[in-house]
Amino acid sequence: MLKGNVPILATAFDAEGEVDFASIERLVKFLLQQGIDGLALFGNASEGYALTQGEKEALFACVRRLTGDLPLVAAAGGAASGVAIEEITRVQRWGAQVAMVNPPSVVKPGPEEIVSFYRDICEACDIEIMIQDAPLMTGVNIPVATLVKLCQSFPAIKYIKVEQPPTTLKISALKQALGDSVGLFGGLNAGFLYEELRRGVIGTMPACEFPDVINMILQAWQHNPREAQSLFYRYLPFLRYGVQPGIGVAIHKTVLHRAGIFTTDVVREPAKRLDAVTRDELQDLTDALPLAVFGARV
């Protein structure tokens, strides 16, 4: 069962904007050295929306070669169930164990259309499904009652990544309705991780430049929740800084670049690069907090 620290892999680009596989290899090796429980590809923090199918296939093969038996989650989906089924089947063929699937969002579906979409996927695909409930990104709200119906109707749905603020309330409602039958994950760059742990999540899927921080919080939670709370509050300014719409991807990449893991901090449009003031603010944050990324030897 997938659980624990499952970061979203950032995609490195070189100065010409092409995928930089050497930098990606350094990042994967760093994450493995720190200890992670799984790895997710092609999510929003991966700039999956800006990658071609050929780039995705090559990137997945690169990661799989390095990670061995580590569980791999791949964001896959589409604006209609037929498109989503094709993409999910593709990432399963590449070796993904879990497909993270947003509801369709070009034409905003209601609850009935959402149920039909996931029904079609579950009937056609033989892979574990994670519903990504991220209305800030998709503009689609999935009510608790609809999520419960989906999970109770389709056994292939094993996980929900809960990213609708306030995540705490939705996690509590889902936990009460579903118990332990479905694994709940937090997102939003772990910005509510301590509260989400209290509400019953089994893991989190943040950005990838601070696996040591997530590991410390998760491990402390097991034996000393107050220590977990203290660690979370200490790093919270850094966690919230990386979740800003439009520039979050650039923030993650800037940290990785300054640490020497990524050769550049290039992002692909429509993501934005950081202005000078934001770079200074980020430098102040990282100077104030010990992060393993800056001591990495990969």
Side-chain angles (χ1 to χ4, degrees):
M1 184 176 185
L2 190 71
K3 62 180 180 179
N5 183 7
V6 184
I8 309 291
L9 187 76
T11 303
F13 301 117
D14 63 21
E16 285 71 45
E18 300 299 317
V19 177
D20 177 0
F21 290 99
S23 290
I24 291 168
E25 287 194 16
R26 286 194 294 271
L27 175 57
V28 172
K29 290 175 181 178
F30 164 71
L31 292 169
L32 294 174
Q33 288 170 2
Q34 290 300 310
I36 53 175
D37 301 298
L39 189 58
L41 295 86
F42 314 142
N44 192 45
S46 303
E47 295 172 271
Y49 52 80
L51 297 172
T52 68
Q53 290 297 339
E55 289 171 334
K56 287 183 177 181
E57 183 172 12
L59 198 158
F60 197 100
C62 171
V63 171
R64 190 180 184 197
R65 173 174 55 82
L66 297 168
T67 54
D69 295 332
L70 187 76
L72 297 178
V73 180
S81 58
V83 179
I85 288 166
E86 183 176 287
E87 187 163 334
I88 293 166
T89 302
R90 185 182 298 114
V91 299
Q92 182 182 13
R93 184 174 67 249
W94 294 344
Q97 285 79 36
V98 180
M100 182 170 67
V101 185
N102 277 300
S105 59
V106 175
V107 177
K108 307 302 181 194
E112 291 184 5
E113 290 81 16
I114 291 171
V115 171
S116 296
F117 175 80
Y118 284 100
R119 180 199 61 218
D120 292 347
I121 287 169
C122 291
E123 289 178 351
C125 302
D126 183 24
I127 187 173
E128 292 186 346
I129 300 295
M130 173 185 289
I131 297 175
Q132 184 172 12
D133 177 30
L136 296 180
M137 178 174 66
T138 64
V140 178
N141 174 50
I142 311 179
V144 168
T146 303
L147 287 167
V148 171
K149 180 178 181 179
L150 287 168
C151 294
Q152 293 177 340
S153 301
F154 309 120
I157 298 174
K158 302 295 186 183
Y159 310 99
I160 304 172
K161 185 183 181 189
V162 184
E163 296 190 283
Q164 179 179 9
T167 60
T168 50
L169 301 185
K170 198 160 194 179
I171 288 165
S172 288
L174 289 168
K175 193 69 176 178
Q176 182 176 5
L178 297 170
D180 296 330
S181 63
V182 173
L184 304 179
F185 276 81
L188 296 178
N189 210 39
F192 297 89
L193 177 55
Y194 173 70
E195 294 84 4
E196 291 169 348
L197 287 167
R198 293 186 63 186
R199 304 280 182 138
V201 297
I202 63 170
T204 187
M205 301 177 70
C208 62
E209 72 270 22
F210 49 95
D212 52 319
V213 174
I214 300 302
N215 286 342
M216 286 190 295
I217 294 170
L218 293 178
Q219 290 162 12
W221 175 254
Q222 298 300 318
H223 62 81
N224 187 344
R226 286 299 182 189
E227 181 185 352
Q229 181 187 44
S230 178
L231 285 166
F232 173 72
Y233 287 167
R234 181 182 185 189
Y235 284 93
L236 183 55
F238 177 65
L239 303 181
R240 72 171 177 83
Y241 206 79
V243 79
Q244 298 179 79
I247 62 171
V249 170
I251 288 169
H252 309 317
K253 286 191 167 183
T254 298
V255 174
L256 293 167
H257 179 223
R258 287 177 174 173
I261 292 178
F262 276 12
T263 301
T264 78
D265 59 2
V266 170
V267 297
R268 282 184 176 172
E269 293 183 350
K272 299 177 178 64
R273 300 195 72 172
L274 301 185
D275 63 90
V277 176
T278 304
R279 289 178 180 276
D280 289 343
E281 291 171 349
L282 183 57
Q283 187 70 58
D284 287 344
L285 269 176
T286 53
D287 285 348
L289 297 169
L291 295 170
V293 67
F294 291 111
R297 294 292 181 268
V298 290

